[in-house]
Amino acid sequence: MPDLSTTWLGLELRNPIVASASPLSEDLADIERLAAAGVGAIVMHSLFEEQINYEAHDIDHFLQHGGESYAEALSYFPDISDYQVGPDDYLEHIAEAKRRVDVPIIGSLNGVSPGGWIRYATKIEQAGADALELNIFFVPTDPEMDANAVERIYVDLVHSIREAISIPLSVKLCHFFSAIPNLAARISRAGAQGLTLFNRFYEPDFDLDSLEVVPTLALSSPHELRLRLWWTAILYGRIDADIAITGGVHSARDVLKSMMAGARVAMTASALLRHGIDHVTVMLRELREWMEEFEYESIRQMQGSMSHGAVPEPEAFERANYVRVLRTHSNTLRHR
Ligand SMILES: Cc1cc2nc3c(=O)[nH]c(=O)nc-3n(C[C@H](O)[C@H](O)[C@H](O)COP(=O)(O)O)c2cc1C
């Protein structure tokens, strides 16, 4: 039997398949089903800064930082009824999940501005969460705001949260940065033990009938994994933080690729929403079968084996390969 165990943020996990933040953690029965199906850990759906501030009737800060007029800002502000639960219910939900299952439970906070909502990091720790995932999602719209100012928001927030808690912290990032390795290193130095790569960017669509900008949230497809593999392979061994891959993990092969790129865990949400929670069981079985066929004894032995520093041709991750692939592609088209 291959050893599937891994460590992530200092936590011992029975295997690297982690249920990513999604509505599947909103229901305690689903949390029990995820644990029974075999996941290594469960990340809870997020508690949002806006949700906390709204509840506290403390929206001034958000309005100031939204850069919109009061009326406009209010119209964008999510209705409190859109949230499944209030902040205190969220904490109780974590405490109850901890009582019911024995896999690590990771709380999730989603916010961007400094402010009172940060105290919920402490409350999530007190509720019993084994770690915290901080999803920072900032949309820079001001042309006068430079990249350093944007990144400072991230680093300062990590500092503040680190000071508030003693459980491990992972930061969930999107990939729209000009210097990902530098930012990753600064986030790690600010006190994060992990990086969760990458947030899927929210991409609003246009409704041509109503001429409105409409929110869309499509489930992922497996090809989205490649971006994550690429950056994980580059960051592995270069920063002092555990990497979790999220985005496009749909099968055991995706988990294997994630491990070889250098991730400690592979998180999955869309595949479970599409195929059901029992898909975890299928992924685990196929993971074991593949490892037995290719004579791998443990997950740990494959972690990072195809990272930038480990492969014989590291240029596969760099510009040289990009030039090669474009040339090959245009030659193929010309000879058709
Ligand atoms: C319906 C839905 C709800 C989600 N809710 C959250 C959330 O509350 N917090 C969060 O950090 N990510 C959330 N995510 C993002 C997922 O955790 C995950 O990072 C993303 O979907 C990419 O992984 P996947 O390809 O396995 O779906 C959500 C995703 C979906 C599809």
Side-chain angles (χ1 to χ4, degrees):
M1 265 298 231
D3 174 9
L4 301 191
S5 68
T6 183
T7 58
W8 177 51
L9 311 173
L11 305 169
E12 287 285 338
L13 307 193
R14 57 183 163 172
N15 69 66
I17 300 179
V18 170
S20 199
S22 88
L24 286 176
S25 57
E26 284 173 7
D27 188 336
L28 287 163
D30 282 338
I31 291 176
E32 286 177 324
R33 290 177 61 214
L34 283 166
V39 291
I42 298 170
V43 183
M44 306 301 284
H45 58 289
S46 293
L47 179 60
F48 293 85
E49 167 188 351
E50 291 82 353
Q51 194 176 353
I52 296 165
N53 291 346
Y54 205 108
E55 178 98 343
H57 303 291
D58 173 25
I59 59 173
D60 288 358
H61 189 85
F62 173 77
L63 295 173
Q64 278 163 23
H65 286 258
E68 309 284 352
S69 75
Y70 183 82
E72 272 173 333
L74 266 190
S75 71
Y76 288 123
F77 208 82
D79 194 291
I80 196 71
S81 61
D82 288 346
Y83 299 120
Q84 300 290 322
V85 294
D88 292 336
D89 296 330
Y90 184 86
L91 302 173
E92 179 46 37
H93 192 62
I94 288 184
E96 185 57 26
K98 281 297 297 174
R99 284 191 281 272
R100 294 212 192 177
V101 299
D102 61 5
V103 293
I105 296 288
I106 321 299
S108 169
L109 258 186
N110 191 317
V112 76
S113 37
W117 66 276
I118 289 174
R119 69 185 182 279
Y120 271 82
T122 317
K123 293 184 186 230
I124 286 173
E125 175 174 18
Q126 287 163 352
D130 296 281
L132 180 68
E133 188 174 80
L134 174 66
N135 185 337
I136 310 179
F137 186 80
F138 178 72
V139 184
T141 52
D142 178 0
E144 298 306 317
M145 187 176 196
D146 66 18
N148 196 36
V150 173
E151 292 176 6
R152 209 168 330 110
I153 290 177
Y154 284 70
V155 175
D156 289 350
L157 202 50
V158 175
H159 262 300
S160 307
I161 303 264
R162 177 74 282 159
E163 277 173 12
I165 57 171
S166 52
I167 49 174
L169 173 66
S170 185
V171 178
K172 191 169 183 177
L173 290 176
C174 69
H175 66 281
F176 290 103
F177 292 99
S178 50
I180 290 177
N182 177 268
L183 178 64
R186 284 162 60 205
I187 285 177
S188 147
R189 284 198 295 272
Q193 286 75 25
L195 288 170
T196 305
L197 307 177
F198 288 115
N199 212 353
R200 285 176 79 226
F201 215 60
Y202 160 67
E203 293 168 336
D205 199 359
F206 289 177
D207 183 326
L208 290 179
D209 294 323
S210 63
L211 294 183
E212 279 179 321
V213 181
V214 287
T216 58
L217 181 63
L219 296 182
S220 72
S221 62
H223 74 82
E224 293 178 42
L225 180 64
R226 287 180 219 153
L227 177 79
R228 281 83 183 166
L229 294 177
W230 184 25
W231 281 106
T232 300
I234 290 174
L235 291 176
Y236 179 80
R238 287 196 162 87
I239 52 158
D240 187 18
D242 290 350
I243 298 171
I245 283 186
T246 178
V249 176
H250 286 238
S251 67
R253 297 181 81 83
D254 297 334
V255 177
L256 289 159
K257 290 178 190 177
S258 301
M259 297 300 106
M260 291 183 189
R264 295 291 182 97
V265 294
M267 296 184 174
T268 180
S270 292
L272 305 188
L273 290 167
R274 189 173 284 136
H275 305 298
I277 288 173
D278 287 345
H279 188 60
V280 173
T281 323
V282 177
M283 288 169 82
L284 282 170
R285 192 189 64 237
E286 290 177 357
L287 192 58
R288 275 193 205 94
E289 285 170 0
W290 191 94
M291 288 174 69
E292 278 164 8
E293 185 181 346
F294 290 90
E295 298 178 355
Y296 277 86
E297 287 173 6
S298 71
I299 283 289
R300 291 171 212 234
Q301 94 189 84
M302 69 175 78
Q303 282 168 332
S305 60
M306 291 189 68
S307 63
H308 183 255
V311 291
E313 290 187 29
E315 59 274 18
F317 295 111
E318 296 167 6
R319 188 179 155 78
N321 217 38
Y322 155 72
V323 177
R324 193 184 310 152
V325 81
L326 292 188
R327 296 306 312 154
T328 316
H329 194 66
S330 72
N331 283 342
T332 318
L333 289 177
R334 223 176 299 131
H335 291 110
R336 262 195 193 156

